[in-house]
Amino acid sequence: MRKSERTTDVGAEDRERWMARFQVRLAMQPGVDRPVVLQAVKEVTVHCAETGEEPRTAFGDPDAHAVRVAARLVPPERAARDRRPDGVVKKLRSVARRAEDIAGL
């Protein structure tokens, strides 16, 4: 394998890890549902495709970006509703299901 091929593979692996972490962290934010995650992933993907930037370069840390995106896309009243104790239990179950889907378990 040539060095350039290894570099490309490492870049692809980093992008995949960044996106996976971003999706999981976003899904854990109060009020975030599947449509919000899909919209956010599309925004990141389109931006990176148009600019040629890596997600980490364009958006920074995936955890911090997930918090910013949730604050922008989730109505405050929905986020507040999910912060209630019964909302937290539902969110944990939802995140566990999503993590299983991502991991292919």
Side-chain angles (χ1 to χ4, degrees):
M1 180 182 288
R2 292 183 306 214
K3 184 177 179 180
S4 63
E5 291 173 351
R6 285 193 304 263
T7 303
T8 303
D9 291 344
V10 170
E13 288 176 15
D14 186 49
R15 274 191 302 280
E16 290 174 12
R17 276 195 302 271
W18 192 96
M19 288 298 287
R21 183 167 181 117
F22 171 64
Q23 290 176 54
V24 169
R25 294 299 182 173
L26 182 58
M28 293 172 64
Q29 299 302 308
V32 171
D33 56 7
R34 183 174 175 83
V36 170
V37 173
L38 293 175
Q39 179 181 351
V41 168
K42 181 178 180 181
E43 288 175 359
V44 169
T45 303
V46 167
H47 175 84
C48 291
E50 289 177 350
T51 64
E53 288 182 290
E54 294 293 323
R56 187 171 302 282
T57 303
F59 302 104
D61 179 66
D63 298 346
H65 188 58
V67 171
R68 288 190 303 269
V69 168
R72 181 172 51 88
L73 296 179
V74 176
E77 61 278 0
R78 187 167 70 187
R81 184 182 62 233
D82 273 11
R83 285 189 185 99
R84 291 192 312 247
D86 62 330
V88 171
V89 171
K90 289 177 185 176
K91 180 57 75 174
L92 287 173
R93 288 184 185 134
S94 175
V95 168
R97 282 192 303 271
R98 289 179 191 160
E100 289 172 358
D101 290 344
I102 290 170
L105 301 175

